[in-house]
Amino acid sequence: MVFEKLLEHLQKHNRMQKPSLDLQILTLPDNPGVYQYYDKDGKILYVGKAKNLKKRVSSYFNKIHDTAKTNVLVKKIVTIKHIVVPTETDALLLENNLIKTLQPRYNVLLRDDKTYPWICIKKEPFSRIFSTRNMVKDGSEYFGPYTSFKTVHTILDLIKELYPLRTCNYDLSESNINSGKFKVCLEYHIGNCKGPCEGLEPLEEYQKQVNAIREILKGNFKESLKDFKKVMNTYAQNLQFEEAQKIKEKIEVLENYQSRSTIINPKITNIDVFSIISDESAAYVNFLQISHGSIIRSHTLEMKKKLDESDEELLELAIVELRERFQLLSKEIIVPFEMDLGENIKITVPQLGDKKQILDLSIRNAKFYRIEQLKQLQIVDPDRHVNRIMAQMQKDLRLPSEPRHIECFDNSNIQGTNPVAACVVFKDGKPSKKDYRHFNVKTVEGPNDFASMTEIVYRRYKRLLDENEPLPQLIIIDGGKGQLSAALKSIDDLGLRGKVAIIGIAKRLEELFYPGDSIPLYLDKKSETLKVIQHLRNEAHRFGITFHRDKRSKSALNSSVESIPGIGEKTMTTLIQHFKSVKRLKLATEKEISAVVGVSKAKKIVEFYHPKEN
């Protein structure tokens, strides 16, 4: 029954009208990626790469282009899709692959001779390492692709500088070597090869170098650096400083080398990747299709929750729907958690390596899609956006009603001086600054935050009751159990227990405390409910600290000015309003002070702060 309702919603959601182009562009992320343009019939028009997706896509629509072809393209665009990737290089590689796969009408067709280069570790005795554009399925390992042969040559030069490997194409089988079929060449004599063709280098030693190179190509330099430093120290201890310097130069080269970022791996072939991100009201499932080692499709599906469905249930339903929609036949699926989709499908939950990187990329795209949808909702239907957040807060905080009106309290004092408190007010999840209030603590002496909280909460709600003003649905106390208990005394004295919800938030672990419950509530660190509460707490802290600083400055100025002979209360007030602090008053010239309080008083002030030496 649950799945039938969800499937019905999925079909209904797929028929919904797409948001306007302006809205699609406005909510694009400022990240590297690949964008795809589609026409009204859903046909692919163009694929492009971008360092910043929002800026690049916007540039198509904010000017008239020089070529008629581009202007015609822009007029046909109805839908914009995108895939977010980690780097601009990844965007270039993915763009190349999607153009070949999708063959959009307005893209230049990339032919096979434009395939990006790879670095191959050949499967053979004493493996050769070389660049190639063609991958042969003979068990050899391929790393890449790289965006240019210049990058490949740089890496191969690095490898050649670090490790002496053979460059010949001899069949160095054990029988050929033992029969003395080959002789060492010039590369051996100049030190670029150790002569495995004549059996001068054991296969085990050669293979250690190949393994180290394999790790470098993956971006793991730790072991190579460790080995080189060990050799360098040995040379240095034996006073072989020239050899040690050569090894040091290799270490520097290796430390400065930046491995390319990969999103495509020839080992990952014909696999579908699914990930899910969810909140209280909806789930977002991203799908990446991998064919022949490359990403050829990305799609994100939004699923509105009807009941309290788990991520496992929703993802299982989405996978079935997406495989049917796109006619997917892959036998292996990468997902973030274990699930059962039948005996004919292999489920992989990667923890490390290239498959984990692909899954992380899928999760990232699901997150960005959710952010864009929420932004669009906030722009198109702000009331619905607010309603959604309020409903979620009511559920998360277990409140009897939606917290449309929230008030948060915070105390401020330094070593008991100038104790003040602040009350900030949020309405519909946003600050209502005209309703903010400052309080001077009147009945408490010394640094007693608990007593100060009791006084301020009582004064605030006694006044609201006396003036018949509306009470908040939620009161938040910045502090743990002690602060909450202090506030509750006033709530009880005013007879508001049970009429207004009240909670305390402890800063260290973001714990939420409820009256009469010793066990705190922990919210998801990324939940919108916690973000609203943190915004309230931060606003109360900022508002209280600002008031406290102003009060301290005025107090310091008051005490300083009051001790000047011949300066009365009126003059003191004028100086406070103008100079704001004692420091600024001390630094002011007699002329500047006289412009405010007159020549005679200015002279007294200057003589007080800067007495002349006899």
Side-chain angles (χ1 to χ4, degrees), residues 93 116-122 128-132 135 140-147 152 155-156 159 210-220 257 259-262 264-267 354:
L93 299 172
Y116 286 113
W118 303 76
I119 291 179
C120 174
I121 299 180
K122 192 70 175 174
R128 289 170 293 156
I129 298 177
F130 54 88
S131 63
T132 180
M135 287 188 290
S140 299
E141 295 178 80
Y142 292 87
F143 296 86
Y146 296 87
T147 53
V152 173
I155 296 171
L156 291 176
I159 291 171
V210 173
N211 292 337
I213 292 168
R214 182 182 292 109
E215 292 303 310
I216 290 173
L217 292 172
K218 289 180 179 179
N220 302 326
Y257 167 66
S259 176
R260 57 87 186 102
S261 176
T262 60
I264 307 169
N265 188 320
K267 292 181 182 178
D354 294 322

Side-chain angles (χ1 to χ4, degrees), residues 32-150:
V34 173
Y35 55 90
Q36 303 164 60
Y37 294 151
Y38 291 83
D39 64 12
K40 62 180 180 179
D41 299 320
K43 292 182 179 179
I44 184 74
L45 294 172
Y46 185 80
V47 173
K49 69 180 184 305
K51 184 178 180 179
N52 184 310
L53 282 166
K54 181 181 285 186
K55 287 183 179 179
R56 183 71 184 97
V57 173
S58 298
S59 68
Y60 279 89
F61 300 91
N62 57 18
K63 63 182 179 181
I64 297 176
H65 298 274
D66 296 333
T67 62
K69 182 179 178 182
T70 305
N71 289 320
V72 172
L73 164 65
V74 172
K75 289 180 181 178
K76 291 184 176 181
I77 297 170
V78 174
T79 304
I80 302 169
K81 293 184 179 181
H82 66 274
I83 306 174
V84 175
V85 293
T87 67
E88 190 177 5
T89 300
D90 289 330
L92 178 62
L93 299 172
L94 185 55
E95 177 202 36
N96 173 72
N97 183 65
L98 289 176
I99 290 172
K100 288 181 179 179
T101 305
L102 303 176
Q103 297 185 1
R105 179 179 175 183
Y106 287 88
N107 279 103
V108 176
L109 183 60
L110 298 174
R111 302 188 183 280
D112 289 339
D113 60 349
K114 296 296 182 183
T115 300
Y116 286 113
W118 303 76
I119 291 179
C120 174
I121 299 180
K122 192 70 175 174
K123 185 181 181 182
E124 59 187 359
F126 300 95
S127 301
R128 289 170 293 156
I129 298 177
F130 54 88
S131 63
T132 180
R133 289 190 187 273
N134 301 313
M135 287 188 290
V136 180
K137 294 184 178 180
D138 60 355
S140 299
E141 295 178 80
Y142 292 87
F143 296 86
Y146 296 87
T147 53
S148 71
F149 259 110
K150 183 179 179 181

